[in-house]
């Protein structure tokens, strides 16, 4: 595979640079080197993304996403900002170690797939849903739209319409309806994979209504997850300049939505009042409110240091990693108390691996990278809904690795996965009926 060869070369280069940065961390004190390290990683990330795009036209492969998050986004938010201190040398040491092991896992698997053909088992066959699959998916989407509307009527409106949206969304859902309401993401995602059916007017109308409903929930996570799921479908496709402009436009719109929600969400407004009240911040409320997205990302890495220095390695005993299984068994998966900085509780994948596996976390991180790359290489030339969705789960995990881990995606790993399996089963039934019909026609003739 051409993409495997290019990624292997760039992974080797990234490991070499990360080792150099790690050496700098060991030999340096706090100061100007913190900013220099950030600039080194930003340049490295840009080189990786541009190199892959120029040679393959691909933008959403594992190395590009890793570079966007850990070599560009994290360094950009590493500088000092309102109530956000600069990242420390210790934090850069941990991230550099993580970068080395992630790239090592990607390098080994990429080398393994270098000799594979670029032609997949489908030989360029376009993915197409059967009639029964499309009807089932569209019906699910309509039902989920209706469930949101019914709940809105009962609650007296969507949370975004309330005086305190943050409080309103906590009491919006009817019992056991939260997961079912969010299931509407799956038909939008699967139908979008089908070039023909994604142009269906009924689908487009209900998909737009559902997206608006997610926005009216004043919850960034739902909107963000749906956008990321659809973006994962472009991982195997070459993106031309025109499409790249559309992607940049969607990215700008997405961040605009994030900012708008931050301005109407009660919790964020209350936090700003709190910071001003205790004297932690004396600047503009507007500036603090609209830079929340930077703190949302930045504090995940700052909080990581607290987990490494305060809590015992492996103290959660695999709880987060096994959370989907423990959740189904109605067993608690959090054995340690969440740490916070100014009310921010989210932390990155590195912290969760440290809590689950202790000092073995770099090795586990490298293994996860290897599994992720295996799923990627086996899915990019396949039309299988299951393979596609498994890569989407990995894609979500990589994109959001700066502030979340497996326990944040329990519904995606249980209910949504079962839904994908059922849709795939419906496809097999359709194929079986078609083959049987062709056989009967052949015998008749």
């Amino acid at each position: 595979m051409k993409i495997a060869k290019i990624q292997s070369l760039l992974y080797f280069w990234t490991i070499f640079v990360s080792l150099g940065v790690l050496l700098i961390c060991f030999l340096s004190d706090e100061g100007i080197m913190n900013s220099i390290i950030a600039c080194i990683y930003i340049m490295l990330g840009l080189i990786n993304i541009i190199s892959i795009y120029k040679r393959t036209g691909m933008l959403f492969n594992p190395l590009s996403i890793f570079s966007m998050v850990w070599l560009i986004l994290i360094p950009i938010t590493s500088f000092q900002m309102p109530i956000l201190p600069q990242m420390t040398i210790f934090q850069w040491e941990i991230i550099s170690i993580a970068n080395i092991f992630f790239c090592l896992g990607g390098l080994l698997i990429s080398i393994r797939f270098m000799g594979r053909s670029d032609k997949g088992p489908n030989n360029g066959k376009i993915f197409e849903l059967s009639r029964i699959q499309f009807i089932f998916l569209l019906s699910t989407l309509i039902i989920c739209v209706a469930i949101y509307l019914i709940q809105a009527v009962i609650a007296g409106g969507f949370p975004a319409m309330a005086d305190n949206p943050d409080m309103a969304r906590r009491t919006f859902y009817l019992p056991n309806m939260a997961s079912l309401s969010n299931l509407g993401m799956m038909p939008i995602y699967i139908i979008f994979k089908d070039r023909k059916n994604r142009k269906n007017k009924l689908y487009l109308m209900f998909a737009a209504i559902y997206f608006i409903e997610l926005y009216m929930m004043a919850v960034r996570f739902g909107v963000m997850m749906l956008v990321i799921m659809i973006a994962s479908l472009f991982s195997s496709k070459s993106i031309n300049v025109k499409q790249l402009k559309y992607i940049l436009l969607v990215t700008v719109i997405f961040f605009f939505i994030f900012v708008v929600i931050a301005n109407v969400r009660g919790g964020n407004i209350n936090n700003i009042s709190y910071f001003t009240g205790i004297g932690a911040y004396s600047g503009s409320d507007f500036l603090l409110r609209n830079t929340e997205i930077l703190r949302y990302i930045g504090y995940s890495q700052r909080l990581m240091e607290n987990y490494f220095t305060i809590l015992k390695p492996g103290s959660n005993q695999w709880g987060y990693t096994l959370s989907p299984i423990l959740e189904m068994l109605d067993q608690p998966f959090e054995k340690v108390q969440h740490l916070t900085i100014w009310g921010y509780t989210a932390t990155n994948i590195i912290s969760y691996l440290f809590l689950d596996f202790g000092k073995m976390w770099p090795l586990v991180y490298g293994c996860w990278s290897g599994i992720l790359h295996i799923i990627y290489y086996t899915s990019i030339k396949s039309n299988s809904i299951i393979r596609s969705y498994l890569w989407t789960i990995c894609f979500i995990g990589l994109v959001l690795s700066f502030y979340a881990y497996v326990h944040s995606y329990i519904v995606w790993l249980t209910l949504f996965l079962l839904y994908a399996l059922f849709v795939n089963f419906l496809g097999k039934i359709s194929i079986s009926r078609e083959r049987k019909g062709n056989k009967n026609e052949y015998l008749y003739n």
Side-chain angles (χ1 to χ4, degrees):
M1 284 185 178
K2 183 179 180 181
I3 182 65
K5 182 178 180 180
I6 295 170
Q7 285 200 133
S8 63
L9 292 172
L10 291 173
Y11 273 132
F12 181 81
W13 165 243
T14 305
I15 291 172
F16 178 77
V17 175
S18 298
L19 285 170
V21 171
L22 186 60
L23 181 61
I24 292 173
C25 291
F26 287 146
L27 300 177
S28 303
D29 296 322
E30 304 292 338
I32 188 64
M33 289 309 300
N34 302 55
S35 300
I36 292 176
I37 290 170
C39 292
I40 291 173
Y41 273 136
I42 291 172
M43 290 299 297
L44 176 62
L46 290 172
I47 290 171
N48 286 346
I49 294 170
I50 294 172
S51 297
I52 292 181
Y53 183 73
K54 286 183 68 176
R55 288 169 173 79
T56 66
M58 293 183 180
L59 193 62
F60 295 121
N61 51 80
L63 179 55
S64 292
I65 297 301
F66 166 77
S67 298
M68 290 177 193
V69 175
W70 289 99
L71 303 182
I72 296 179
L73 189 61
I74 299 306
I76 286 175
T77 57
S78 70
F79 300 100
Q80 186 175 0
M81 299 174 197
I83 68 167
L84 185 69
Q86 188 176 34
M87 278 182 59
T88 65
I89 288 293
F90 179 71
Q91 291 164 9
W92 279 123
E93 287 178 8
I94 298 172
I95 288 177
S96 295
I97 292 171
N99 289 347
I100 291 168
F101 277 87
F102 180 90
C103 292
L104 186 60
L107 173 63
L108 295 175
I109 299 302
S110 295
I111 292 174
R112 176 69 179 81
F113 279 85
M114 279 172 54
R116 298 285 183 92
S117 172
D118 283 320
K119 294 182 179 180
N122 298 296
N123 294 321
K125 185 180 179 181
I126 297 174
F127 173 80
E128 186 175 351
L129 293 166
S130 67
R131 182 176 178 81
I132 188 173
Q133 284 177 310
F134 179 73
I135 292 173
F136 175 74
L137 289 165
L138 187 59
S139 300
T140 303
L141 177 58
I142 294 172
I143 290 171
C144 290
V145 167
I147 289 174
Y148 259 127
L149 289 174
I150 291 170
Q151 291 176 117
V153 171
I154 294 174
F158 283 97
M161 303 174 181
D163 294 332
N164 189 336
D166 195 51
M167 184 61 67
R169 69 184 178 84
R170 299 177 188 275
T171 57
F172 177 82
Y173 292 109
L174 295 174
N176 304 316
M177 281 295 170
S179 297
L180 188 59
S181 301
N182 291 326
L183 186 61
M185 297 181 192
M186 284 299 288
I188 293 176
Y189 158 78
I190 295 175
I191 294 176
F192 191 87
K193 184 177 172 66
D194 186 333
R195 293 183 183 180
K196 179 183 177 181
N197 284 312
R198 71 184 177 198
K199 297 176 182 178
N200 181 280
K201 292 181 180 179
L202 201 59
Y203 162 71
L204 291 173
M205 181 182 73
F206 280 99
I209 294 172
Y210 188 82
F211 189 86
I212 293 170
E213 288 177 333
L214 288 178
Y215 173 75
M216 294 301 291
M217 286 299 299
V219 180
R220 296 163 297 204
F221 194 73
V223 176
M224 179 172 60
M225 290 296 278
L226 182 54
V227 171
I228 293 173
M229 288 172 69
I230 292 175
S232 71
L233 296 175
F234 293 91
S235 297
S236 61
K237 304 180 186 300
S238 295
I239 298 172
N240 58 40
V241 176
K242 183 179 179 180
Q243 292 170 327
L244 184 59
K245 290 179 180 178
Y246 282 126
I247 291 171
L248 292 175
L249 178 62
V250 170
T251 303
V252 171
I253 293 173
F254 175 73
F255 279 105
F256 175 75
I257 291 173
F258 192 105
V259 170
V260 170
I261 292 176
N263 277 273
V264 301
R265 190 178 178 190
N268 184 38
I269 296 172
N270 293 337
N271 286 342
I272 291 170
S273 301
Y274 171 75
F275 296 139
T276 305
I278 65 173
Y281 180 73
S282 57
S284 166
D285 285 0
F286 178 82
L287 177 63
L288 190 62
R289 183 182 298 118
N290 290 291
T291 54
E292 192 210 3
I293 187 171
L294 301 177
R295 296 192 301 279
Y296 199 70
I297 299 167
Y299 267 123
S300 297
Q301 313 345 303
R302 276 54 163 194
L303 193 56
M304 171 186 67
E305 181 173 353
N306 291 1
Y307 279 99
F308 272 74
T309 56
I310 295 175
L311 297 180
K312 183 181 177 182
S315 54
N316 202 53
Q317 302 171 1
W318 293 33
Y320 289 121
T321 303
L322 299 177
S323 56
I325 298 173
L326 295 174
E327 178 79 6
M328 288 189 291
L329 297 175
D330 198 26
Q331 296 294 318
F333 55 81
E334 290 186 314
K335 301 177 178 66
V336 294
Q337 186 174 0
H338 265 292
L339 303 178
T340 66
I341 301 178
W342 296 124
Y344 290 91
T345 58
T347 188
N348 58 33
I349 186 175
I350 302 170
S351 301
Y352 290 116
L353 290 176
F354 173 78
L355 291 174
D356 267 10
F357 301 98
K359 296 180 180 179
M360 295 293 291
W361 73 264
L363 183 61
V364 178
Y365 192 43
C367 291
W368 175 72
S369 173
I371 294 171
L372 179 149
H373 282 82
I374 291 173
I375 293 174
Y376 171 72
Y377 288 129
T378 55
S379 69
I380 55 177
K381 299 300 179 182
S382 171
N383 281 336
S384 167
I385 291 176
I386 301 305
R387 288 187 178 183
S388 177
Y389 183 66
L390 288 176
W391 163 241
T392 295
I393 293 175
C394 293
F395 187 86
I396 291 171
L398 184 55
V399 171
L400 301 181
S401 58
F402 64 88
Y403 93 113
Y405 190 49
V406 176
H407 63 288
S408 300
Y409 319 122
I410 288 177
V411 173
W412 278 261
L413 290 163
T414 52
L415 176 63
F416 285 17
L417 180 58
L418 289 173
Y419 184 85
L421 287 167
F422 184 73
V423 174
N424 190 66
F425 174 70
L426 291 178
K428 289 185 176 181
I429 291 177
S430 299
I431 293 173
S432 177
R433 286 181 177 178
E434 184 178 342
R435 287 176 177 174
K436 187 176 181 180
N438 292 338
K439 184 179 180 180
N440 291 337
E441 184 180 349
Y442 173 77
L443 292 174
Y444 178 78
N445 292 333

